[in-house]
Amino acid sequence: MRLTRYFLPIMKDTPSEASIASHRLMLRAGMIRQSSAGIYSWLPMGFKVLQRLEQIVHEEQMRAGHIPMLMPTLQSADLWKESGRYDDYGKEMLRITDRHGRDMLYGPTNEELITDIFRNAVNSYKELPKTLYHIQWKFRDEVRPRFGVMRGREFYMKDGYSFDVDEAGALHSYNRHLVSYLRTYERMGLKAIPMKADTGPIGGDHSHEFLVLAETGESEVFYDSQVMDMELGDREVDFDDAAQCQGIFDEFTTPYARTDETHDEAKFNDVPEDRRMSARGIEVGQIFYFGTKYSESMGAEVVMPDGSRKPVEMGSHGIGVSRLIGALIEANHDGKGIIWPESVAPFRVGLVNLRQGDEAADAACESLYAGLVKAGLDPLYDDRDERAGAKFASMDLIGCPWRITVGPRGLKNGVVELTSRRTGETIEVSPEAALERCIEIYADVQ
Ligand code: ATP
Ligand code: MG
Protein backbone atom coordinates (compact mmCIF):
# COMPACT_ATOMS: atom_id res chain seq x y z
CA MET A 1 0.00 0.00 0.00
CA ARG A 2 1.18 3.49 -0.82
CA LEU A 3 0.44 5.85 2.01
CA THR A 4 -0.69 8.61 -0.37
CA ARG A 5 -3.44 6.31 -1.62
CA TYR A 6 -4.41 4.84 1.75
CA PHE A 7 -6.83 6.10 4.36
CA LEU A 8 -4.86 6.53 7.54
CA PRO A 9 -6.14 9.53 9.50
CA ILE A 10 -3.32 9.88 12.03
CA MET A 11 -4.00 12.24 14.93
CA LYS A 12 -1.19 14.48 16.11
CA ASP A 13 -2.67 15.31 19.49
CA THR A 14 -3.41 12.92 22.26
CA PRO A 15 -7.18 12.37 22.35
CA SER A 16 -8.49 13.47 25.72
CA GLU A 17 -11.21 10.82 25.99
CA ALA A 18 -8.67 7.98 26.04
CA SER A 19 -7.22 7.08 29.41
CA ILE A 20 -5.15 4.02 28.51
CA ALA A 21 -2.36 3.50 25.98
CA SER A 22 -4.12 1.08 23.65
CA HIS A 23 -7.19 3.28 23.28
CA ARG A 24 -5.05 6.35 22.74
CA LEU A 25 -2.81 4.64 20.18
CA MET A 26 -5.70 3.07 18.26
CA LEU A 27 -7.27 6.51 17.87
CA ARG A 28 -3.98 8.25 17.06
CA ALA A 29 -2.90 5.61 14.54
CA GLY A 30 -6.22 5.95 12.71
CA MET A 31 -7.43 2.42 13.50
CA ILE A 32 -10.83 3.21 15.01
CA ARG A 33 -13.29 6.05 15.46
CA GLN A 34 -16.03 6.07 18.03
CA SER A 35 -19.51 6.38 16.58
CA SER A 36 -21.33 6.31 19.92
CA ALA A 37 -20.40 5.16 23.42
CA GLY A 38 -18.70 1.76 23.16
CA ILE A 39 -19.42 1.47 19.43
CA TYR A 40 -16.65 1.94 16.89
CA SER A 41 -16.02 2.11 13.20
CA TRP A 42 -13.01 0.08 12.22
CA LEU A 43 -10.95 2.23 9.87
CA PRO A 44 -8.85 0.42 7.26
CA MET A 45 -5.79 -0.26 9.39
CA GLY A 46 -7.80 -1.35 12.43
CA PHE A 47 -9.90 -3.57 10.19
CA LYS A 48 -6.72 -5.10 8.76
CA VAL A 49 -5.50 -6.13 12.23
CA LEU A 50 -8.96 -7.44 13.13
CA GLN A 51 -8.85 -9.61 10.00
CA ARG A 52 -5.40 -10.92 10.89
CA LEU A 53 -6.60 -12.00 14.32
CA GLU A 54 -9.74 -13.50 12.88
CA GLN A 55 -7.66 -15.52 10.44
CA ILE A 56 -5.49 -16.95 13.22
CA VAL A 57 -8.56 -17.81 15.28
CA HIS A 58 -10.15 -19.60 12.32
CA GLU A 59 -7.01 -21.55 11.49
CA GLU A 60 -6.55 -22.78 15.04
CA GLN A 61 -10.21 -23.65 15.53
CA MET A 62 -10.28 -25.62 12.32
CA ARG A 63 -7.01 -27.32 13.26
CA ALA A 64 -8.74 -28.51 16.42
CA GLY A 65 -11.58 -29.95 14.34
CA HIS A 66 -14.15 -27.26 15.11
CA ILE A 67 -16.58 -26.27 12.39
CA PRO A 68 -17.02 -22.64 11.27
CA MET A 69 -20.45 -21.21 10.53
CA LEU A 70 -22.23 -17.87 10.89
CA MET A 71 -25.28 -17.00 12.95
CA PRO A 72 -27.08 -13.64 12.74
CA THR A 73 -26.61 -10.71 15.13
CA LEU A 74 -30.37 -10.25 15.60
CA GLN A 75 -32.24 -13.03 17.32
CA SER A 76 -35.85 -13.73 18.16
CA ALA A 77 -36.65 -13.37 21.86
CA ASP A 78 -38.69 -16.59 21.81
CA LEU A 79 -35.70 -18.88 22.22
CA TRP A 80 -34.45 -16.83 25.15
CA LYS A 81 -37.85 -17.09 26.79
CA GLU A 82 -37.57 -20.87 26.43
CA SER A 83 -34.20 -21.03 28.20
CA GLY A 84 -35.35 -18.54 30.83
CA ARG A 85 -32.60 -16.05 30.06
CA TYR A 86 -34.81 -13.39 28.45
CA ASP A 87 -35.67 -12.06 31.89
CA ASP A 88 -32.42 -13.06 33.64
CA TYR A 89 -30.11 -11.21 31.27
CA GLY A 90 -31.26 -7.81 32.44
CA LYS A 91 -30.29 -4.43 31.07
CA GLU A 92 -27.19 -5.62 29.24
CA MET A 93 -29.42 -7.07 26.55
CA LEU A 94 -30.44 -4.70 23.79
CA ARG A 95 -34.08 -5.43 23.10
CA ILE A 96 -35.73 -4.46 19.84
CA THR A 97 -39.29 -4.70 18.55
CA ASP A 98 -39.82 -5.26 14.83
CA ARG A 99 -42.66 -3.75 12.73
CA HIS A 100 -44.95 -6.66 13.58
CA GLY A 101 -44.45 -6.08 17.27
CA ARG A 102 -42.22 -9.17 17.69
CA ASP A 103 -39.63 -9.13 20.42
CA MET A 104 -36.10 -9.32 19.05
CA LEU A 105 -32.68 -8.77 20.55
CA TYR A 106 -29.13 -8.09 19.44
CA GLY A 107 -27.31 -11.26 20.52
CA PRO A 108 -24.96 -10.90 23.50
CA THR A 109 -24.06 -14.60 22.98
CA ASN A 110 -25.53 -17.55 21.09
CA GLU A 111 -26.25 -20.57 23.30
CA GLU A 112 -30.00 -20.50 22.62
CA LEU A 113 -29.70 -20.08 18.87
CA ILE A 114 -27.13 -22.85 18.42
CA THR A 115 -29.08 -25.19 20.71
CA ASP A 116 -32.16 -24.58 18.57
CA ILE A 117 -30.22 -25.32 15.37
CA PHE A 118 -28.76 -28.42 16.95
CA ARG A 119 -32.01 -29.89 18.29
CA ASN A 120 -33.70 -29.52 14.91
CA ALA A 121 -30.91 -31.32 13.08
CA VAL A 122 -29.31 -33.92 15.32
CA ASN A 123 -31.10 -36.96 16.68
CA SER A 124 -28.63 -39.71 17.33
CA TYR A 125 -25.60 -40.15 19.57
CA LYS A 126 -23.85 -41.33 16.39
CA GLU A 127 -23.70 -37.75 15.11
CA LEU A 128 -21.70 -36.59 18.14
CA PRO A 129 -19.32 -35.11 19.06
CA LYS A 130 -19.61 -31.79 17.22
CA THR A 131 -18.22 -28.35 17.91
CA LEU A 132 -19.64 -25.46 15.92
CA TYR A 133 -18.34 -21.93 16.15
CA HIS A 134 -18.67 -18.53 14.57
CA ILE A 135 -16.99 -15.15 14.77
CA GLN A 136 -19.66 -12.51 14.93
CA TRP A 137 -20.48 -9.11 16.41
CA LYS A 138 -22.09 -9.16 19.81
CA PHE A 139 -23.87 -6.43 21.72
CA ARG A 140 -23.93 -5.98 25.47
CA ASP A 141 -25.23 -2.72 26.80
CA GLU A 142 -22.38 -2.38 29.31
CA VAL A 143 -23.03 0.12 32.11
CA ARG A 144 -19.62 1.62 31.66
CA PRO A 145 -18.14 1.07 28.21
CA ARG A 146 -14.53 2.19 28.40
CA PHE A 147 -10.96 1.71 27.30
CA GLY A 148 -11.94 1.77 23.63
CA VAL A 149 -12.43 -1.69 22.11
CA MET A 150 -11.45 -3.31 25.38
CA ARG A 151 -14.88 -2.88 26.93
CA GLY A 152 -17.13 -1.95 24.07
CA ARG A 153 -20.86 -2.35 23.76
CA GLU A 154 -20.56 -3.79 20.28
CA PHE A 155 -17.63 -6.19 20.05
CA TYR A 156 -16.33 -9.03 17.91
CA MET A 157 -16.25 -12.45 19.50
CA LYS A 158 -15.46 -15.99 18.53
CA ASP A 159 -17.93 -18.23 20.28
CA GLY A 160 -17.91 -21.98 19.93
CA TYR A 161 -20.36 -24.56 21.23
CA SER A 162 -19.45 -28.16 21.93
CA PHE A 163 -21.98 -30.99 21.92
CA ASP A 164 -21.03 -34.31 23.44
CA VAL A 165 -22.79 -37.45 24.45
CA ASP A 166 -21.30 -37.73 27.94
CA GLU A 167 -19.13 -35.97 30.48
CA ALA A 168 -15.91 -37.63 29.33
CA GLY A 169 -16.53 -36.41 25.79
CA ALA A 170 -17.41 -32.93 27.03
CA LEU A 171 -14.18 -32.75 29.02
CA HIS A 172 -12.20 -33.75 25.97
CA SER A 173 -13.92 -30.90 24.09
CA TYR A 174 -13.07 -28.58 26.95
CA ASN A 175 -9.42 -29.59 26.92
CA ARG A 176 -9.26 -29.34 23.13
CA HIS A 177 -10.46 -25.77 23.42
CA LEU A 178 -7.86 -24.97 26.06
CA VAL A 179 -5.09 -26.32 23.85
CA SER A 180 -6.34 -24.53 20.72
CA TYR A 181 -6.60 -21.27 22.68
CA LEU A 182 -3.05 -21.59 23.99
CA ARG A 183 -1.80 -21.94 20.43
CA THR A 184 -4.01 -19.09 19.20
CA TYR A 185 -2.63 -16.60 21.72
CA GLU A 186 0.94 -17.79 21.27
CA ARG A 187 0.67 -17.26 17.52
CA MET A 188 -0.43 -13.70 18.20
CA GLY A 189 2.71 -13.15 20.25
CA LEU A 190 0.72 -12.98 23.48
CA LYS A 191 1.17 -14.68 26.81
CA ALA A 192 -2.35 -15.53 27.99
CA ILE A 193 -2.55 -17.52 31.21
CA PRO A 194 -5.44 -19.92 31.81
CA MET A 195 -6.87 -19.19 35.24
CA LYS A 196 -9.53 -21.08 37.12
CA ALA A 197 -12.76 -19.13 36.76
CA ASP A 198 -15.98 -18.84 38.64
CA THR A 199 -18.75 -20.97 37.15
CA GLY A 200 -21.44 -18.76 38.71
CA PRO A 201 -24.96 -19.99 39.36
CA ILE A 202 -24.62 -22.87 36.87
CA GLY A 203 -21.97 -24.45 39.09
CA GLY A 204 -19.59 -27.16 38.06
CA ASP A 205 -15.86 -27.16 38.18
CA HIS A 206 -14.96 -26.42 34.64
CA SER A 207 -14.27 -22.92 33.55
CA HIS A 208 -11.05 -21.14 32.77
CA GLU A 209 -10.44 -17.58 31.73
CA PHE A 210 -7.38 -16.59 29.73
CA LEU A 211 -5.67 -13.50 31.05
CA VAL A 212 -3.03 -11.25 29.56
CA LEU A 213 -1.07 -9.43 32.23
CA ALA A 214 -1.29 -5.65 31.96
CA GLU A 215 -1.35 -2.83 34.49
CA THR A 216 -4.56 -1.54 32.97
CA GLY A 217 -6.34 -4.91 33.21
CA GLU A 218 -9.70 -4.95 34.98
CA SER A 219 -9.10 -8.24 36.85
CA GLU A 220 -6.88 -8.78 39.84
CA VAL A 221 -4.85 -11.97 39.38
CA PHE A 222 -2.66 -14.20 41.55
CA TYR A 223 -0.24 -16.71 40.07
CA ASP A 224 2.81 -18.85 40.47
CA SER A 225 5.61 -17.22 38.42
CA GLN A 226 6.26 -20.67 36.87
CA VAL A 227 3.31 -20.10 34.54
CA MET A 228 5.31 -17.42 32.77
CA ASP A 229 7.80 -20.01 31.52
CA MET A 230 5.23 -22.37 30.04
CA GLU A 231 4.86 -22.57 26.30
CA LEU A 232 2.97 -24.87 23.98
CA GLY A 233 5.44 -24.03 21.20
CA ASP A 234 5.28 -26.02 18.01
CA ARG A 235 4.78 -29.44 19.56
CA GLU A 236 2.61 -31.84 17.56
CA VAL A 237 -0.89 -32.03 18.93
CA ASP A 238 -3.39 -34.68 17.94
CA PHE A 239 -6.66 -33.05 18.92
CA ASP A 240 -8.48 -36.38 18.75
CA ASP A 241 -6.16 -37.78 21.39
CA ALA A 242 -8.05 -37.20 24.64
CA ALA A 243 -5.11 -38.28 26.80
CA GLN A 244 -2.73 -35.86 25.11
CA CYS A 245 -5.19 -32.97 25.44
CA GLN A 246 -5.73 -33.86 29.11
CA GLY A 247 -1.94 -33.95 29.63
CA ILE A 248 -1.56 -30.44 28.20
CA PHE A 249 -4.51 -29.25 30.27
CA ASP A 250 -2.88 -30.63 33.44
CA GLU A 251 0.47 -29.15 32.57
CA PHE A 252 -0.93 -25.65 32.06
CA THR A 253 -3.45 -25.58 34.88
CA THR A 254 -1.51 -27.21 37.71
CA PRO A 255 0.57 -24.19 38.80
CA TYR A 256 -1.54 -21.75 40.81
CA ALA A 257 -3.24 -19.09 38.66
CA ARG A 258 -6.53 -17.49 39.64
CA THR A 259 -8.46 -14.26 39.40
CA ASP A 260 -9.78 -12.56 42.53
CA GLU A 261 -13.11 -14.31 41.94
CA THR A 262 -11.66 -17.75 42.67
CA HIS A 263 -8.55 -16.78 44.63
CA ASP A 264 -7.80 -19.07 47.57
CA GLU A 265 -5.32 -17.53 49.97
CA ALA A 266 -4.50 -20.86 51.69
CA LYS A 267 -3.68 -22.61 48.41
CA PHE A 268 -1.75 -19.57 47.21
CA ASN A 269 0.39 -19.73 50.34
CA ASP A 270 1.53 -23.22 49.32
CA VAL A 271 3.40 -21.61 46.42
CA PRO A 272 6.99 -20.80 47.45
CA GLU A 273 7.03 -17.16 48.49
CA ASP A 274 9.49 -15.96 45.84
CA ARG A 275 7.17 -17.31 43.14
CA ARG A 276 3.94 -15.77 44.47
CA MET A 277 2.86 -12.99 42.13
CA SER A 278 -0.09 -10.66 42.04
CA ALA A 279 -0.89 -8.39 39.13
CA ARG A 280 -3.66 -7.10 36.89
CA GLY A 281 -4.94 -8.90 33.83
CA ILE A 282 -7.17 -8.55 30.77
CA GLU A 283 -9.61 -11.39 30.08
CA VAL A 284 -9.19 -12.33 26.42
CA GLY A 285 -11.10 -15.60 26.43
CA GLN A 286 -13.05 -18.10 28.48
CA ILE A 287 -13.95 -21.76 28.21
CA PHE A 288 -16.91 -23.20 30.04
CA TYR A 289 -18.39 -26.68 30.43
CA PHE A 290 -21.92 -26.32 31.74
CA GLY A 291 -23.46 -29.73 31.10
CA THR A 292 -27.15 -29.85 30.25
CA LYS A 293 -28.34 -26.36 31.24
CA TYR A 294 -29.59 -25.49 27.75
CA SER A 295 -30.10 -28.96 26.35
CA GLU A 296 -32.50 -29.78 29.19
CA SER A 297 -34.51 -26.56 29.13
CA MET A 298 -34.66 -26.53 25.33
CA GLY A 299 -34.98 -30.26 24.70
CA ALA A 300 -31.76 -30.91 22.79
CA GLU A 301 -31.59 -34.69 23.14
CA VAL A 302 -30.08 -37.59 21.26
CA VAL A 303 -31.19 -41.19 21.04
CA MET A 304 -28.71 -43.47 22.79
CA PRO A 305 -27.73 -47.05 21.75
CA ASP A 306 -30.33 -48.51 24.16
CA GLY A 307 -33.07 -46.35 22.63
CA SER A 308 -33.32 -43.92 25.54
CA ARG A 309 -33.16 -40.15 25.01
CA LYS A 310 -30.46 -38.10 26.68
CA PRO A 311 -29.88 -34.32 26.83
CA VAL A 312 -26.51 -33.50 25.29
CA GLU A 313 -23.53 -32.23 27.30
CA MET A 314 -22.60 -28.73 26.20
CA GLY A 315 -19.88 -26.15 26.62
CA SER A 316 -19.32 -22.63 25.29
CA HIS A 317 -15.94 -21.24 24.53
CA GLY A 318 -15.21 -17.62 23.65
CA ILE A 319 -12.38 -15.43 22.44
CA GLY A 320 -12.67 -11.65 22.54
CA VAL A 321 -11.29 -10.91 19.09
CA SER A 322 -11.74 -7.13 19.14
CA ARG A 323 -10.63 -6.85 22.80
CA LEU A 324 -7.46 -8.74 21.86
CA ILE A 325 -6.30 -5.78 19.77
CA GLY A 326 -6.41 -3.61 22.87
CA ALA A 327 -4.62 -6.30 24.88
CA LEU A 328 -1.98 -6.70 22.17
CA ILE A 329 -1.24 -2.98 22.19
CA GLU A 330 -1.20 -2.80 26.01
CA ALA A 331 1.46 -5.51 25.92
CA ASN A 332 3.37 -4.12 22.94
CA HIS A 333 3.99 -0.39 22.83
CA ASP A 334 6.44 2.32 23.87
CA GLY A 335 6.37 6.08 24.11
CA LYS A 336 6.41 6.45 20.33
CA GLY A 337 3.62 4.08 19.43
CA ILE A 338 2.59 0.51 18.73
CA ILE A 339 5.07 -2.37 18.30
CA TRP A 340 3.18 -5.13 16.47
CA PRO A 341 4.28 -8.73 16.84
CA GLU A 342 5.14 -9.92 13.31
CA SER A 343 2.17 -12.30 13.05
CA VAL A 344 -0.50 -9.65 13.53
CA ALA A 345 1.10 -6.52 12.07
CA PRO A 346 -1.23 -4.69 9.69
CA PHE A 347 1.75 -4.07 7.40
CA ARG A 348 4.74 -6.30 7.80
CA VAL A 349 7.36 -3.86 6.49
CA GLY A 350 7.34 -0.06 6.39
CA LEU A 351 9.22 1.60 3.57
CA VAL A 352 10.39 5.18 4.11
CA ASN A 353 11.61 7.36 1.27
CA LEU A 354 13.68 10.12 2.87
CA ARG A 355 13.67 12.30 -0.24
CA GLN A 356 10.54 11.91 -2.29
CA GLY A 357 11.24 13.24 -5.79
CA ASP A 358 14.91 12.30 -5.75
CA GLU A 359 15.38 10.10 -8.78
CA ALA A 360 17.62 7.48 -7.19
CA ALA A 361 15.61 7.29 -3.96
CA ASP A 362 12.30 7.01 -5.83
CA ALA A 363 13.65 4.29 -8.12
CA ALA A 364 15.13 2.27 -5.24
CA CYS A 365 11.86 2.55 -3.30
CA GLU A 366 9.78 1.47 -6.29
CA SER A 367 11.96 -1.55 -6.80
CA LEU A 368 11.91 -2.49 -3.10
CA TYR A 369 8.17 -1.94 -2.95
CA ALA A 370 7.60 -4.26 -5.90
CA GLY A 371 9.88 -6.89 -4.33
CA LEU A 372 8.11 -6.70 -0.97
CA VAL A 373 4.68 -6.96 -2.59
CA LYS A 374 5.83 -9.94 -4.65
CA ALA A 375 7.13 -11.66 -1.52
CA GLY A 376 3.73 -11.19 0.13
CA LEU A 377 5.16 -8.92 2.81
CA ASP A 378 2.37 -6.38 2.58
CA PRO A 379 4.53 -3.24 2.75
CA LEU A 380 3.36 0.25 3.65
CA TYR A 381 5.31 2.71 1.50
CA ASP A 382 5.44 6.23 2.91
CA ASP A 383 5.60 8.07 -0.40
CA ARG A 384 4.37 11.39 1.00
CA ASP A 385 6.25 14.56 0.34
CA GLU A 386 7.05 15.02 4.03
CA ARG A 387 10.18 15.60 6.03
CA ALA A 388 12.04 12.59 7.38
CA GLY A 389 11.11 13.32 11.01
CA ALA A 390 7.40 13.24 10.28
CA LYS A 391 7.73 10.00 8.33
CA PHE A 392 9.65 8.32 11.15
CA ALA A 393 7.12 9.49 13.70
CA SER A 394 4.24 8.05 11.66
CA MET A 395 6.01 4.73 11.14
CA ASP A 396 6.84 4.46 14.84
CA LEU A 397 3.22 5.20 15.73
CA ILE A 398 1.82 2.64 13.29
CA GLY A 399 4.32 0.10 14.55
CA CYS A 400 5.35 -1.99 11.52
CA PRO A 401 7.84 -4.49 12.99
CA TRP A 402 10.46 -3.68 10.33
CA ARG A 403 11.32 -0.48 8.51
CA ILE A 404 13.46 0.00 5.44
CA THR A 405 14.76 3.55 5.10
CA VAL A 406 15.94 4.75 1.72
CA GLY A 407 17.82 8.02 1.16
CA PRO A 408 20.06 9.51 -1.51
CA ARG A 409 23.09 9.57 0.79
CA GLY A 410 22.95 5.87 1.62
CA LEU A 411 22.22 4.93 -1.94
CA LYS A 412 25.49 6.61 -3.03
CA ASN A 413 27.20 3.92 -0.93
CA GLY A 414 24.81 1.25 -2.16
CA VAL A 415 22.98 0.88 1.15
CA VAL A 416 19.62 1.32 2.82
CA GLU A 417 18.75 0.91 6.49
CA LEU A 418 16.80 -1.95 7.98
CA THR A 419 15.46 -1.17 11.46
CA SER A 420 13.68 -3.29 14.04
CA ARG A 421 10.79 -1.38 15.61
CA ARG A 422 11.11 -3.42 18.81
CA THR A 423 14.84 -3.06 19.50
CA GLY A 424 15.62 -0.02 17.40
CA GLU A 425 18.60 -1.93 16.04
CA THR A 426 19.58 -0.78 12.55
CA ILE A 427 21.76 -2.43 9.96
CA GLU A 428 23.04 -0.92 6.72
CA VAL A 429 22.74 -3.30 3.81
CA SER A 430 22.15 -3.27 0.08
CA PRO A 431 18.49 -2.93 -0.97
CA GLU A 432 18.59 -6.54 -2.23
CA ALA A 433 19.94 -7.77 1.11
CA ALA A 434 17.27 -5.79 3.00
CA LEU A 435 14.58 -7.49 0.97
CA GLU A 436 16.18 -10.91 1.47
CA ARG A 437 16.42 -10.32 5.21
CA CYS A 438 12.72 -9.38 5.44
CA ILE A 439 11.76 -12.51 3.51
CA GLU A 440 13.88 -14.57 5.94
CA ILE A 441 12.37 -12.93 9.02
CA TYR A 442 8.84 -13.70 7.90
CA ALA A 443 9.55 -17.17 6.55
CA ASP A 444 8.60 -18.76 9.90
CA VAL A 445 5.72 -16.41 10.72
CA GLN A 446 2.45 -18.16 10.05
P1 ATP B 1 -16.14 -9.45 31.17
O1 ATP B 1 -16.01 -10.21 32.48
O2 ATP B 1 -14.89 -8.78 30.74
O3 ATP B 1 -17.35 -8.56 31.14
P2 ATP B 1 -17.42 -11.78 30.17
O4 ATP B 1 -16.81 -12.80 31.06
O5 ATP B 1 -18.78 -11.29 30.47
O6 ATP B 1 -16.42 -10.54 30.04
P3 ATP B 1 -17.64 -13.74 28.08
O7 ATP B 1 -19.09 -13.98 28.05
O8 ATP B 1 -16.74 -14.70 28.76
O9 ATP B 1 -17.38 -12.27 28.66
O10 ATP B 1 -17.17 -13.46 26.57
C1 ATP B 1 -16.02 -14.04 25.94
C2 ATP B 1 -14.96 -12.99 25.67
O11 ATP B 1 -15.48 -11.86 24.99
C3 ATP B 1 -14.36 -12.42 26.95
O12 ATP B 1 -13.35 -13.26 27.45
C4 ATP B 1 -13.81 -11.10 26.45
O13 ATP B 1 -12.51 -11.28 25.90
C5 ATP B 1 -14.76 -10.69 25.35
N1 ATP B 1 -15.69 -9.64 25.83
C6 ATP B 1 -16.68 -9.76 26.72
N2 ATP B 1 -17.31 -8.59 26.92
C7 ATP B 1 -16.68 -7.69 26.12
C8 ATP B 1 -16.86 -6.29 25.88
N3 ATP B 1 -17.82 -5.60 26.48
N4 ATP B 1 -16.03 -5.69 24.99
C9 ATP B 1 -15.08 -6.39 24.35
N5 ATP B 1 -14.86 -7.69 24.55
C10 ATP B 1 -15.64 -8.36 25.42
MG1 MG C 1 -15.80 -14.34 30.63
Side-chain angles (χ1 to χ4, degrees):
M1 182 55 68
R2 293 166 197 273
L3 194 45
T4 52
R5 296 195 192 160
Y6 200 43
F7 184 77
L8 190 68
I10 285 175
M11 291 164 74
K12 290 226 168 59
D13 302 322
T14 301
S16 60
E17 73 266 34
S19 59
I20 63 169
S22 57
H23 188 192
R24 222 159 31 232
L25 289 170
M26 287 182 79
L27 288 168
R28 283 195 54 215
M31 293 177 68
I32 51 167
R33 287 294 179 264
Q34 181 174 303
S35 78
S36 49
I39 304 179
Y40 292 87
S41 292
W42 292 79
L43 305 190
M45 198 174 79
F47 182 54
K48 222 161 179 294
V49 180
L50 194 65
Q51 286 182 307
R52 288 238 197 266
L53 300 194
E54 185 176 354
Q55 179 66 22
I56 292 176
V57 171
H58 270 304
E59 285 174 15
E60 294 309 322
Q61 286 310 297
M62 289 192 274
R63 196 196 304 279
H66 305 157
I67 312 161
M69 63 179 295
L70 186 60
M71 288 176 270
T73 52
L74 292 185
Q75 304 179 20
S76 155
D78 293 345
L79 293 173
W80 289 71
K81 289 175 183 163
E82 241 184 276
S83 74
R85 280 209 293 182
Y86 192 60
D87 294 326
D88 292 353
Y89 219 94
K91 288 190 170 170
E92 274 195 14
M93 179 185 278
L94 181 64
R95 295 153 208 260
I96 303 159
T97 310
D98 76 5
R99 65 195 300 165
H100 304 293
R102 288 187 204 111
D103 291 334
M104 310 277 296
L105 56 99
Y106 194 130
T109 177
N110 283 57
E111 282 83 3
E112 282 78 358
L113 195 48
I114 194 77
T115 305
D116 181 52
I117 292 169
F118 180 90
R119 71 179 170 186
N120 290 324
V122 177
N123 286 308
S124 164
Y125 75 96
K126 288 182 197 154
E127 294 168 73
L128 297 182
K130 288 267 178 313
T131 292
L132 297 161
Y133 78 93
H134 73 161
I135 306 180
Q136 176 62 292
W137 293 96
K138 303 290 184 294
F139 195 95
R140 293 183 190 171
D141 205 351
E142 302 272 356
V143 195
R144 217 149 68 92
R146 56 183 182 152
F147 300 159
V149 300
M150 221 71 109
R151 184 164 295 284
R153 292 198 296 164
E154 190 184 43
F155 59 98
Y156 207 38
M157 192 214 278
K158 172 262 161 183
D159 42 326
Y161 304 90
S162 53
F163 299 90
D164 285 273
V165 79
D166 55 18
E167 184 173 348
L171 289 176
H172 177 203
S173 292
Y174 186 83
N175 294 340
R176 220 173 40 234
H177 277 90
L178 180 122
V179 178
S180 70
Y181 281 23
L182 289 173
R183 178 153 282 164
T184 301
Y185 300 123
E186 279 184 18
R187 269 188 70 184
M188 293 173 183
L190 268 183
K191 174 89 204 154
I193 308 166
M195 300 197 179
K196 192 176 163 57
D198 203 358
T199 45
I202 301 173
D205 200 21
H206 303 288
S207 185
H208 281 84
E209 290 172 340
F210 290 78
L211 284 110
V212 171
L213 299 182
E215 275 165 33
T216 48
E218 290 184 294
S219 314
E220 194 179 2
V221 301
F222 302 86
Y223 61 96
D224 179 339
S225 62
Q226 270 193 337
V227 298
M228 297 309 285
D229 303 326
M230 293 195 307
E231 207 187 24
L232 189 65
D234 54 9
R235 67 179 96 167
E236 279 293 320
V237 176
D238 175 358
F239 284 94
D240 289 331
D241 182 342
Q244 190 191 13
C245 293
Q246 181 68 46
I248 297 172
F249 172 88
D250 292 342
E251 176 186 339
F252 279 83
T253 58
T254 300
Y256 190 92
R258 296 191 183 193
T259 66
D260 53 354
E261 284 173 7
T262 52
H263 183 50
D264 179 335
E265 200 63 41
K267 287 208 171 96
F268 191 46
N269 284 335
D270 291 341
V271 178
E273 194 175 356
D274 60 327
R275 297 204 324 240
R276 258 179 256 158
M277 305 288 155
S278 68
R280 315 269 327 159
I282 302 167
E283 181 193 327
V284 294
Q286 180 163 15
I287 53 178
F288 198 165
Y289 165 44
F290 48 71
T292 56
K293 175 179 158 72
Y294 299 93
S295 55
E296 258 181 60
S297 59
M298 296 181 66
E301 297 172 340
V302 288
V303 177
M304 298 302 286
D306 64 0
S308 64
R309 298 181 68 82
K310 190 174 186 251
V312 291
E313 297 284 325
M314 288 177 60
S316 27
H317 316 283
I319 294 182
V321 181
S322 49
R323 178 182 284 181
L324 267 168
I325 301 186
L328 271 161
I329 298 176
E330 287 300 319
N332 297 282
H333 71 273
D334 62 13
K336 295 181 198 160
I338 305 167
I339 309 173
W340 293 112
E342 268 103 359
S343 58
V344 298
F347 298 98
R348 297 191 145 180
V349 179
L351 179 59
V352 169
N353 187 343
L354 290 178
R355 187 88 49 81
Q356 209 69 42
D358 175 271
E359 212 173 302
D362 288 1
C365 282
E366 286 303 328
S367 150
L368 271 166
Y369 182 67
L372 289 162
V373 170
K374 193 161 166 234
L377 291 177
D378 210 356
L380 179 66
Y381 173 22
D382 190 345
D383 58 344
R384 296 172 304 168
D385 188 14
E386 281 275 359
R387 39 184 197 88
K391 290 193 175 188
F392 288 141
S394 301
M395 277 297 171
D396 285 343
L397 175 63
I398 296 165
C400 302
W402 296 91
R403 186 185 78 208
I404 301 177
T405 310
V406 179
R409 210 176 319 148
L411 285 175
K412 282 208 182 96
N413 301 318
V415 295
V416 297
E417 284 177 1
L418 177 64
T419 305
S420 155
R421 172 69 181 88
R422 196 170 288 277
T423 65
E425 204 180 307
T426 295
I427 52 170
E428 288 196 340
V429 287
S430 70
E432 296 75 24
L435 176 59
E436 264 325 297
R437 184 77 197 101
C438 290
I439 293 173
E440 255 170 51
I441 289 166
Y442 281 102
D444 293 333
V445 177
Q446 304 174 43

